[in-house]
Amino acid sequence: MNKNDWWKDAVVYQIYPQSFKDSNNDGIGDINGIREKIPYLKDLGVNVLWLNPIYESPMVDNGYDISDYYKIADCYGTMEDFENLLKEAHDAGIKIIMDLAVCASSIEHKWFKESKKSRDNKYSDYYIWKDPKEDGSAPNNWGSIFGSGSAWEYVEERGQYYLHLFAVEQPDLNWENPDLRNEVYENMEFWLKKGIDGFRLDSISLISKKQDFPDDPTAGENGYGSPYFGASNGPRVHEFLQEMYEKVLSKYDVMTVGEATRTPVDKALLYCQPERKELNMVFQFDHMHVDYGKFGRYSDLKFKLSDLKEAMFLWQKSLNGVGWNSLYWDNHDQPRFVSRFGNDDSKYRKLSATMLATVLFFQQGTPFIYQGDEIGMTNVAFDSIDSYKDIEAHNMYLKFSNMGLSNDEIMSYIHNKSRDNARTPMQWNSNSFAGFSCVDPWIELNPNYSKINVENDMNSDFSIHDYYKKLIKYRKGNEIVRDGDFKEIGLEDSDIFSYTRTYKGKTLLVLGSFSDKKVCYNVPNNLQKFKRELVVSNYDGNIEQNKDASTLYLRPYEALVFYMY
Ligand code: NOJ
């Protein structure tokens, strides 16, 4: 491994600052709260933190709408707090990567305030402005990703529309403009010079738009087409990223991970093949799409294990030896993984959470843990839409109501898929406000915090947290896990997730049962000649098997990893 490839050995912990730890009791998590928890993070064993945006923002999209890329939002603290955090994290052997959200800014950014004034000032072309069609309507039929209607908004002063793929308060930046690109690079340098260790690049597959802004011909009944149609993996995205690499990233020993919405694996390789000098890895979405229904992401469909495996195995096989994967089950935009892919009933919550962690951690790539996953935090089901904070949930509620769906049906989709499932405050203990704060937090707590919390988990006989610790420890520097070839087993098996990793003749066999019943696993013939040593198990370390050990009987949500020799 190249020494600059330290991120291949990393385990990343994602912090959603608003909901991690509130140090000043205003109900909002903050930088000093993160500082308090560095010993906790060090003990867990993670060595990189990814912070969701902490920059100045009106918080329409919880900080992804940035009004000043050089300032820390008041609610999170000061620049000095940030510098202290960085130093203390580094002293603890933990690196920090920041979110770089430059597909769009906030309408409150000074660039936009100037840009909307006229067509001929310094910032006029920092955003994507288009004339109306002859009948005055929007330039094309793209709809906003957040479901609020058209992706275009008319501004009287300029007599033009601007593009916003997300909220109307998030105008897309115009990457065609070299001045804008240089502003972005300068800002990256500002943070890198402070000593940060890399970036998670938000919505990066959407920064280059097809310049003829074509209508999406597959527009739905409401007339809106997909915003992804002319914006995903656009014509100049790789040119821009190569320029970013040359001008900025090549000068620093950092880690980069790009959020690559709507990017099939062949296109993903273009972002993450080392010789192309763009990014280290991308977040792929194929496995997040396995339970999409007729309304896309908002659905109550249950996934099929074979679909999940197909999606994840494809990435493992396709990037094997030529690129690098990021490994994740969830993040701040997704439901909690134990509720979505496991079983959050009290009987199986811990088993299924640890099983899922196991089958993820042994794949090739850099694992990402989202805050609270290490104690098996679950989805929340607030009774009323009024308790939800996420702009997307509100837009969807309105859209579905206008379509005539009942409150119950809409709420069931929101319960399953709302991004707020991941955004409820971190559950540290069973005191009031879960040890997150001493006052009512900005978003309600998940009422199960009195049972599910860090303190309880760490004090229990079966601690998910301790299990994560073991997985992290096992992975570190392990060549088979880092560099081994990946081989899928039994794609069609509807209960068991299984694969091998092999490096220089050494093999690990990984098994995880997605069933709440006992299920059989026939060890593949080519693996039967090996002796097996059990190296990871989420049960008691005993194995149930037949006499010649050719069949294993996996208990509900059992995870087993064998070293074969
Ligand atoms: C992707 C981020 O992960 C998400 O939280 C955000 O809403 C969108 N980008 C738009 O900024």
Side-chain angles (χ1 to χ4, degrees):
M1 187 183 80
N2 181 328
K3 91 169 181 9
N4 292 341
D5 292 354
W6 53 264
W7 38 269
K8 290 190 174 174
D9 262 333
V11 176
V12 184
Y13 188 91
Q14 183 192 345
I15 292 188
Y16 198 66
Q18 220 157 344
S19 297
F20 189 61
K21 176 74 178 90
D22 174 17
S23 74
N24 61 351
N25 293 314
D26 61 357
I28 302 172
D30 46 46
I31 294 171
N32 287 338
I34 304 173
R35 288 171 66 195
E36 277 175 33
K37 295 295 178 186
I38 287 180
Y40 169 82
L41 297 163
K42 185 177 175 171
D43 173 64
L44 182 60
V46 297
N47 51 359
V48 179
L49 304 180
W50 153 28
L51 305 185
N52 284 103
I54 51 172
Y55 318 98
E56 187 184 272
S57 160
M59 301 284 170
V60 171
D61 185 22
N62 285 8
Y64 276 96
D65 47 320
I66 295 162
S67 51
D68 192 331
Y69 289 93
Y70 290 88
K71 283 201 183 132
I72 301 284
D74 288 342
C75 62
Y76 294 138
T78 62
M79 191 59 88
E80 195 185 341
D81 296 336
F82 175 74
E83 285 162 359
N84 286 332
L85 168 66
L86 192 59
K87 178 168 181 329
E88 286 157 17
H90 283 170
D91 287 348
I94 298 175
K95 297 178 189 279
I96 293 191
I97 65 171
M98 303 272 281
D99 225 301
L100 181 72
V102 285
C103 180
S105 77
S106 159
I107 46 167
E108 296 297 326
H109 197 291
K110 68 168 191 259
W111 299 336
F112 188 74
K113 288 186 183 161
E114 290 301 314
S115 190
K116 71 174 196 186
K117 282 188 189 156
S118 69
R119 297 184 186 202
D120 55 7
N121 68 65
K122 178 168 178 324
Y123 300 102
S124 303
D125 292 333
Y126 272 41
Y127 295 86
I128 300 171
W129 294 97
K130 291 275 163 243
D131 290 336
K133 284 191 180 153
E134 263 172 29
D135 63 0
S137 63
N140 71 20
N141 69 357
W142 298 357
S144 135
I145 290 168
F146 285 161
S148 57
S150 172
W152 296 92
E153 182 74 6
Y154 187 70
V155 172
E156 206 64 61
E157 288 119 299
R158 280 186 63 139
Q160 284 184 310
Y161 284 87
Y162 69 84
L163 178 69
H164 61 90
L165 293 182
F166 293 92
V168 68
E169 295 87 350
Q170 290 172 291
D172 279 55
L173 289 162
N174 179 17
W175 276 72
E176 299 293 320
N177 181 345
D179 292 341
L180 177 271
R181 300 205 298 277
N182 283 331
E183 298 260 18
V184 171
Y185 305 150
E186 255 173 49
N187 181 256
M188 292 170 76
E189 292 266 8
F190 171 82
W191 291 103
L192 289 165
K193 283 187 181 138
K194 282 200 182 292
I196 69 159
D197 304 284
F199 293 104
R200 176 261 188 190
L201 296 92
D202 184 65
S203 303
I204 207 67
S205 55
L206 302 176
I207 58 172
S208 161
K209 279 81 176 174
K210 283 188 187 151
Q211 288 302 294
D212 54 347
F213 291 86
D215 266 338
D216 172 6
T218 65
E221 280 163 27
N222 59 10
Y224 295 123
S226 165
Y228 298 113
F229 176 74
S232 299
N233 304 301
R236 296 184 70 192
V237 63
H238 298 292
E239 179 193 330
F240 297 154
L241 288 176
Q242 283 168 11
E243 180 182 82
M244 178 190 283
Y245 183 87
E246 192 198 313
K247 292 199 168 170
V248 186
L249 296 169
S250 57
K251 296 189 262 167
Y252 299 88
D253 179 16
V254 291
M255 154 178 178
T256 49
V257 50
E259 188 195 28
T261 322
R262 308 278 155 162
T263 303
V265 71
D266 52 330
K267 292 207 170 137
L269 271 170
L270 300 176
Y271 291 88
C272 67
Q273 274 175 315
E275 61 275 18
R276 292 180 52 82
K277 299 190 178 345
E278 295 188 20
L279 303 175
N280 298 142
M281 63 192 106
V282 296
F283 286 128
Q284 57 104 354
F285 281 73
D286 286 356
H287 66 310
M288 293 290 113
H289 292 168
V290 292
D291 54 4
Y292 274 33
K294 58 178 187 264
F295 303 125
R297 161 189 171 80
Y298 282 84
S299 101
D300 53 6
L301 280 190
K302 194 79 192 132
F303 70 99
K304 287 211 320 251
L305 181 59
S306 51
D307 291 342
L308 185 67
K309 288 193 284 188
E310 196 176 343
M312 294 181 103
F313 291 174
L314 175 71
W315 282 75
Q316 286 292 306
K317 289 182 293 183
S318 309
L319 266 53
N320 204 359
V322 285
W324 191 254
N325 272 287
S326 71
L327 306 172
Y328 74 97
W329 279 128
D330 59 12
N331 55 41
H332 65 293
D333 290 332
Q334 301 292 340
R336 288 283 177 181
F337 80 82
V338 69
S339 303
R340 185 181 192 181
F341 299 116
N343 184 334
D344 61 11
D345 284 354
S346 53
K347 190 164 172 204
Y348 293 127
R349 185 180 62 87
K350 290 186 173 187
L351 282 167
S352 62
T354 47
M355 180 280 291
L356 286 161
T358 313
V359 297
L360 188 75
F361 261 63
F362 281 85
Q363 293 181 42
Q364 186 174 59
T366 300
F368 286 69
I369 303 170
Y370 180 67
Q371 65 182 45
D373 283 349
E374 76 278 20
I375 54 161
M377 278 177 64
T378 67
N379 278 355
V380 73
F382 296 133
D383 290 338
S384 154
I385 184 66
D386 300 334
S387 298
Y388 286 82
K389 300 288 181 198
D390 179 20
I391 179 173
E392 185 187 67
H394 285 274
N395 287 348
M396 288 301 167
Y397 190 91
L398 204 68
K399 178 173 158 182
F400 292 145
S401 304
N402 291 338
M403 285 162 65
L405 270 56
S406 71
N407 177 66
D408 286 358
E409 183 175 358
I410 305 174
M411 288 313 288
S412 88
Y413 298 151
I414 301 239
H415 291 162
N416 274 311
K417 289 293 176 63
S418 158
R419 307 194 296 179
D420 283 342
N421 281 311
R423 298 177 181 185
T424 59
M426 180 74 184
Q427 297 166 196
W428 294 103
N429 56 41
S430 49
N431 300 344
S432 13
F433 313 115
F436 163 74
S437 176
C438 291
V439 298
D440 271 322
W442 69 277
I443 183 172
E444 287 168 43
L445 285 149
N446 189 322
N448 66 18
Y449 77 85
S450 55
K451 290 208 183 73
I452 301 175
N453 60 61
V454 172
E455 212 170 273
N456 277 357
D457 185 85
M458 287 175 77
N459 288 332
S460 84
D461 292 341
F462 182 5
S463 159
I464 305 176
H465 178 277
D466 286 358
Y467 191 88
Y468 265 92
K469 254 173 104 164
K470 278 189 211 136
L471 288 181
I472 294 169
K473 210 162 167 196
Y474 192 88
R475 260 193 82 96
K476 283 221 171 116
N478 185 312
E479 288 181 330
I480 317 179
V481 186
R482 191 184 56 220
D483 302 321
D485 282 335
F486 176 93
K487 245 201 172 87
E488 69 182 42
I489 300 175
L491 185 60
E492 62 302 326
D493 189 318
S494 55
D495 294 315
I496 297 175
F497 196 113
S498 168
Y499 56 89
T500 54
R501 301 292 310 281
T502 303
Y503 186 72
K504 293 191 176 156
K506 297 180 203 154
T507 294
L508 289 170
L509 168 64
V510 182
L511 304 175
S513 167
F514 278 64
S515 173
D516 58 4
K517 317 238 162 16
K518 198 177 265 196
V519 288
C520 284
Y521 177 81
N522 296 317
V523 179
N525 289 339
N526 62 325
L527 296 178
Q528 288 190 17
K529 58 179 186 273
F530 295 107
K531 287 196 184 140
R532 303 198 274 264
E533 180 196 343
L534 184 62
V535 290
V536 173
S537 149
N538 63 348
Y539 271 76
D540 47 12
N542 291 317
I543 308 159
E544 294 194 11
Q545 57 188 6
N546 67 354
K547 263 203 182 132
D548 65 2
S550 59
T551 300
L552 300 169
Y553 305 106
L554 266 63
R555 291 160 283 186
Y557 302 104
E558 182 159 15
L560 297 168
V561 181
F562 294 102
Y563 174 58
M564 318 285 278
Y565 61 102

